[in-house]
Amino acid sequence: MAWVGADEWEDDNETFALVRPLNDLALDDFHDAVEYSGGPQGSTHHAQFIHLNSSSMVERESNLFSEDEGDCVESPKLRWDGSYKLSLMSERREDEKGWQLGTERGHTGDKGVDILLAPPKARQKIAGRHCLIYLHSESYRIMLRAKHTIFISGNGLTALHENEEYVLEHGAVIQLGNNSYMLEITSFYKSATFEQALRGYMEKTHGELWSFNGHVSPASVQTPQSLCGGLFLHAPSSFAAGAFGNVTAGWKQGSGQTVAIKQFKNPEKGDVEEHVSIMREIKRHPNIAELIHYEINPKSLIGSFCVYSPLAVANLAEVVRACRINDSAKWILIRDFVKGLTFLHLEIGVMHRDLSSRNLCIVSFNDPRGLIIDLDATTRDATSDNHMIGTLPFLAPETIALKERSPLSHKPLEDDPINVFKELLRPNRKPPKNNPVSAPTPPNYTEAIDVWALGLNVWALWTGLNWKWSYFGMRGVDGQVSVALYESFRQELHERRSTQSSLFDRKINTWVSKMVMWDLNDRITAQDLLEEVNKAAHLVQGRALIKPRPSKSKKRVAEESVKKSSPKRPAEKTSAKKTSAELGAWFEEEMNKGEP
């Protein structure tokens, strides 16, 4: 009997891995499984997973007797040579789990296996459903979950018992009973084509709100590097930088759990030790990155590192720029960020000092969860005069005063629905100037700087525009807060409030107003803010959704082209004098088209 069309797997644009029989027992069982399944072109479910290296049987290299339980039956001299192939296109018994491997003994129909290692009546030690191979939903690694005892030889010898898991790397040897197999990962697994197919596969398996993390995709990682003797594997290049060093994406070898690994450059040793001490005190909080492993070189920080979990799929700046976020998701993220900050302030007694939009992250789109990361700048001090820490656009006025060595002596106009904006619109009004000569020494800042920074991020999450002070002054000029910019910002909040009908939008407006107060003593505390946010839960309903912004379709582009080519109507006459309403109109325009 022979089958034609047995192409080499290198030419296959679907197969991402092969399970290749190694020893004679596994090869003999593969031969029997091919005969039982009807070959790769057979009509059975198992046939789609069979790959033959030749269109005809090959001669057995050795003619040993079976080693299985003392049997003395001579094996055939000719047998089929090949392997089992894994493809995202193949059908599975249980679509959401992966590919079942075994003999199908005692399991038939929908409860059978995908990859038949031997016919059901074979006399060996492989169970009906011996193990499961699947793709990890976060790290996209090829995982093996044992249902019966399995030994894996790769980075040493590992024994897996029921429900224990292991990341399979290229060349891993899998021992099932007396049979040995090797996993071979094809070049297709690391291709852009596979990455595109993987997105569709994961969305189908885990739901349309599953979120892709490009930092750990096989195409991005290519050849992973080992850390801690193989305990962690990670991408060879970093995707971010913190105060202490560069950050790479990786995963834990045993579970496939994604992690962020910070490898130190040249920080002060005392700062690193203080950071580790604070992270160990935090332990595990759902809205703060967890330190799960660290190694500090006692002589030099070179080679020292910290490992954090989980690895977020995106930071707030990326999500605001690329996604549409409904009210339920906004409320969840605001609550989570405030919960994390309240825990840091109230329970641990520290201030973060760098709550930029890149240090506020989203763990998942499919069940949104906010996460505070990068606690390198965190301090236990109740007050501080260190103005060299933080991200400039998010620095509070008191930090800017320390940076300029001169307090902003003028306290800006705060919210007053009648008099404030009359004053702001008064012709020829000039903002007061600072007087660095006569001004007193600026006071130290407190944890209130975190509330200020978080307030600016809440504004970005609310409006769909990443935070820039240039929105409120000269366009194209970014930087730090000033009296004039701050007053324009308060004016914009007032303009929004007068046009908002949604109770939830009005509530966010109120929160931002309380968080971004010029005087640190006037700002709401994280604890009081959390209480207000929790009380507003009833204002949002339905499932939390974070979805990528749809790209313009060809039809929409064509319609816009037609509109542009149509004769324009005469413009209506408007007042030459600019009013405060123009700022609100400009914001609405920017929101409709995305980040400027």
Side-chain angles (χ1 to χ4, degrees):
M1 183 179 182
W3 289 284
V4 296
D7 300 324
E8 288 297 321
W9 62 266
E10 287 85 351
D11 298 328
D12 188 343
N13 289 325
E14 295 180 358
T15 301
F16 65 85
L18 297 167
V19 179
R20 190 181 295 281
L22 280 186
N23 63 351
D24 278 328
L25 286 175
L27 288 164
D28 286 345
D29 284 340
F30 176 78
H31 168 86
D32 293 341
V34 171
E35 295 284 340
Y36 180 85
S37 304
Q41 297 176 355
S43 59
T44 64
H45 175 75
H46 317 110
Q48 62 184 315
F49 300 98
I50 293 174
H51 168 77
L52 297 180
N53 294 334
S54 174
S55 59
S56 59
M57 287 187 282
V58 297
E59 186 174 355
R60 200 175 194 272
E61 293 183 3
S62 60
N63 196 26
L64 301 176
F65 291 98
S66 171
E67 304 165 16
D68 190 13
E69 299 182 3
D71 291 342
C72 295
V73 180
E74 186 175 359
S75 300
K77 293 183 179 181
L78 294 176
R79 64 187 176 196
W80 294 108
D81 178 39
S83 55
Y84 302 99
K85 60 183 182 180
L86 296 175
S87 168
L88 299 180
M89 305 300 292
S90 58
E91 296 180 4
R92 293 160 291 164
R93 296 287 193 190
E94 298 180 57
D95 196 58
E96 74 283 359
K97 291 186 177 180
W99 298 270
Q100 302 280 355
L101 285 73
T103 61
E104 210 166 58
R105 184 166 51 236
H107 302 275
T108 58
D110 293 338
K111 297 299 181 181
V113 299
D114 301 298
I115 295 178
L116 188 68
L117 299 177
K121 295 183 180 180
R123 290 177 293 175
Q124 30 63 3
K125 298 179 180 179
I126 299 178
R129 278 187 165 189
H130 205 104
C131 62
L132 176 78
I133 291 179
Y134 70 99
L135 291 170
H136 198 281
S137 62
E138 295 178 5
S139 62
Y140 323 127
R141 299 300 115 183
I142 302 172
M143 302 291 300
L144 186 143
R145 180 185 300 155
K147 297 193 174 183
H148 299 272
T149 301
I150 292 175
F151 292 92
I152 298 178
S153 178
N155 184 25
L157 184 65
T158 303
L160 298 182
H161 303 288
E162 185 177 2
N163 290 328
E164 291 183 337
E165 299 183 327
Y166 192 86
V167 178
L168 296 176
E169 297 295 335
H170 179 75
V173 176
I174 308 167
Q175 187 76 25
L176 287 76
N178 292 326
N179 291 23
S180 298
Y181 302 86
M182 176 182 287
L183 183 85
E184 296 182 8
I185 300 177
T186 72
S187 58
F188 177 64
Y189 176 73
K190 299 179 181 180
S191 69
T193 305
F194 176 77
E195 181 171 305
Q196 185 177 3
L198 179 66
R199 290 173 181 261
Y201 169 88
M202 287 294 183
E203 287 177 1
K204 179 181 178 182
T205 305
H206 300 285
E208 63 176 3
L209 294 182
W210 168 86
S211 43
F212 183 76
N213 193 332
H215 299 310
V216 288
S217 73
S220 299
V221 174
Q222 292 295 316
T223 304
Q225 296 183 354
S226 177
L227 196 66
C228 290
L231 178 61
F232 300 98
L233 294 170
H234 64 91
S237 58
S238 61
F239 71 89
F244 290 169
N246 294 327
V247 184
T248 57
W251 57 92
K252 197 172 182 180
Q253 173 60 35
S255 64
Q257 170 192 6
T258 54
V259 296
I261 301 171
K262 182 171 291 183
Q263 295 177 307
F264 298 132
K265 290 186 293 187
N266 192 29
E268 294 292 333
K269 186 178 179 181
D271 292 341
V272 174
E273 292 174 344
E274 177 71 1
H275 169 72
V276 170
S277 173
I278 291 172
M279 295 303 298
R280 292 183 66 184
E281 186 176 349
I282 292 172
K283 295 180 181 178
R284 178 175 296 181
H285 188 280
N287 307 120
I288 302 172
E290 178 188 3
L291 178 66
I292 62 172
H293 189 88
Y294 66 93
E295 287 189 9
I296 307 298
N297 189 330
K299 296 182 179 180
S300 170
L301 288 178
I302 298 176
S304 301
F305 61 88
C306 286
V307 182
Y308 307 90
S309 177
L311 176 68
V313 297
N315 60 45
L316 186 61
E318 294 167 333
V319 171
V320 168
R321 179 175 63 249
C323 298
R324 294 189 182 278
I325 311 169
N326 71 355
D327 285 351
S328 295
K330 288 177 183 178
W331 179 83
I332 287 174
L333 294 178
I334 293 171
R335 178 204 61 187
D336 287 355
F337 294 143
V338 178
K339 278 177 63 177
L341 186 59
T342 300
F343 183 80
L344 291 176
H345 287 182
L346 197 64
E347 301 297 329
I348 308 300
V350 298
M351 47 179 162
H352 188 284
R353 298 199 292 182
D354 192 14
L355 282 181
S356 71
S357 56
R358 299 191 181 279
N359 290 334
L360 297 175
C361 292
I362 288 80
V363 176
S364 169
F365 292 175
N366 191 9
D367 183 13
R369 174 157 63 103
L371 188 76
I372 297 175
I373 68 166
D374 199 1
L375 279 72
D376 293 356
T378 301
T379 180
R380 297 181 190 274
D381 296 337
T383 66
S384 175
D385 62 356
N386 187 346
H387 55 79
M388 300 302 293
I389 288 175
T391 304
L392 190 60
F394 296 90
L395 296 184
E398 55 269 33
T399 310
I400 298 298
L402 287 165
K403 188 178 289 292
E404 296 182 344
R405 299 182 180 180
S406 170
L408 297 174
S409 57
H410 166 65
K411 181 178 179 180
L413 297 165
E414 301 289 2
D415 289 321
D416 184 331
I418 300 175
N419 298 325
V420 167
F421 296 101
K422 287 183 179 179
E423 174 65 15
L424 286 173
L425 297 175
R426 180 169 57 83
N428 302 321
R429 177 183 181 272
K430 296 180 180 180
K433 296 181 179 180
N434 300 321
N435 188 351
V437 177
S438 60
T441 303
N444 290 357
Y445 57 77
T446 68
E447 64 185 23
I449 63 169
D450 290 339
V451 177
W452 169 282
L454 183 56
L456 302 183
N457 282 293
V458 170
W459 181 92
L461 177 62
W462 173 41
T463 62
L465 291 167
N466 274 320
W467 177 256
K468 294 179 182 179
W469 279 111
S470 60
Y471 294 152
F472 310 97
M474 292 180 61
R475 296 191 61 180
V477 179
D478 252 345
Q480 64 196 39
V481 64
S482 67
V483 172
L485 291 174
Y486 178 76
E487 289 180 342
S488 294
F489 167 71
R490 303 299 301 197
Q491 176 185 348
E492 191 271 338
L493 283 180
H494 177 76
E495 293 284 349
R496 282 184 178 276
R497 187 170 186 83
S498 63
T499 59
Q500 288 161 347
S501 58
S502 165
L503 291 178
F504 182 62
D505 282 337
R506 287 174 173 264
K507 189 62 70 173
I508 297 181
N509 191 312
T510 300
W511 296 337
V512 173
S513 296
K514 291 181 178 181
M515 298 168 77
V516 190
M517 296 293 285
W518 186 270
D519 191 324
L520 63 90
N521 296 311
D522 294 335
R523 278 173 225 152
I524 190 172
T525 65
Q527 182 181 10
D528 290 342
L529 179 62
L530 180 60
E531 184 177 349
E532 291 193 15
V533 172
N534 284 330
K535 288 180 179 179
H538 68 283
L539 297 178
V540 294
Q541 296 179 349
R543 185 181 181 185
L545 297 175
I546 301 177
K547 290 186 175 182
R549 296 183 187 274
S551 58
K552 291 183 179 180
S553 64
K554 293 182 179 179
K555 180 179 178 181
R556 183 179 172 188
V557 171
E559 289 174 348
E560 291 180 352
S561 178
V562 170
K563 290 180 180 179
K564 289 180 180 179
S565 62
S566 301
K568 295 183 179 180
R569 297 181 179 179
E572 296 181 5
K573 293 184 178 181
T574 56
S575 173
K577 184 179 178 180
K578 294 183 179 180
T579 66
S580 61
E582 291 180 339
L583 184 61
W586 178 79
F587 269 96
E588 293 300 325
E589 178 185 350
E590 295 298 332
M591 285 178 57
N592 290 333
K593 68 180 182 181
E595 184 186 12

